[in-house]
Amino acid sequence: MNTFLKRLLSDGVLNAERLSLAIAEAKRQQISFISYLINENIVDPCYLSQRLAKELDLPFIDLDTLDPLQLPIQLIEEKLLQRYQVLPLWQ
C-alpha cells in the first residue's frame, strides 16, 4: 500500500473496508481512484488536492483565493492557454 493510501487511513478519511471497496469500484468503472472518491463525494476535493500536493512535494495553490483580473494571462497566447489548460499565476 502506498503512502498516500496509508495517509487516508491514518487521517481517518477512510477505513480499510471502504478503501478496498473504493479501489475495486474505481477499477470496475475504469476511472482513477481519485476521480471515484470525488465523484461519489467520499472525500473532500480540497483535502485530496492538498494531500496529493504534499505527497508529491508540490506547492498547493487554492485558485479560489486568486483574483483572475490580476493574473498575467497576456504572457501566453490565448490559443496555448486553452490548448494546454494552463494559467500563468505570476510573472
Side-chain angles (χ1 to χ4, degrees):
M1 183 179 301
N2 70 36
T3 57
F4 177 70
L5 297 180
K6 288 179 185 176
R7 180 63 65 183
L8 292 177
L9 292 172
S10 68
D11 285 357
V13 175
L14 295 171
N15 62 36
E17 181 182 354
R18 189 139 191 211
L19 176 64
S20 295
L21 290 172
I23 291 170
E25 189 58 24
K27 284 181 183 178
R28 188 188 72 72
Q29 292 183 23
Q30 297 181 346
I31 61 173
S32 76
F33 173 68
I34 299 301
S35 293
Y36 178 78
L37 293 178
I38 293 170
N39 292 345
E40 297 298 319
N41 296 313
I42 295 171
V43 180
D44 177 58
C46 189
Y47 165 84
L48 281 175
S49 300
Q50 291 176 6
R51 174 53 57 204
L52 283 170
K54 189 171 185 174
E55 291 295 321
L56 298 171
D57 199 26
L58 296 171
F60 174 80
I61 299 171
D62 183 355
L63 297 179
D64 290 334
T65 64
L66 299 177
D67 179 0
L69 299 176
Q70 299 299 317
L71 298 177
I73 59 173
Q74 72 281 1
L75 294 176
I76 303 174
E77 291 180 41
E78 185 176 346
K79 185 168 80 173
L80 294 174
L81 293 172
Q82 291 177 359
R83 180 177 181 188
Y84 296 106
Q85 297 183 352
V86 295
L87 261 184
L89 299 177
W90 54 83
Q91 187 170 353

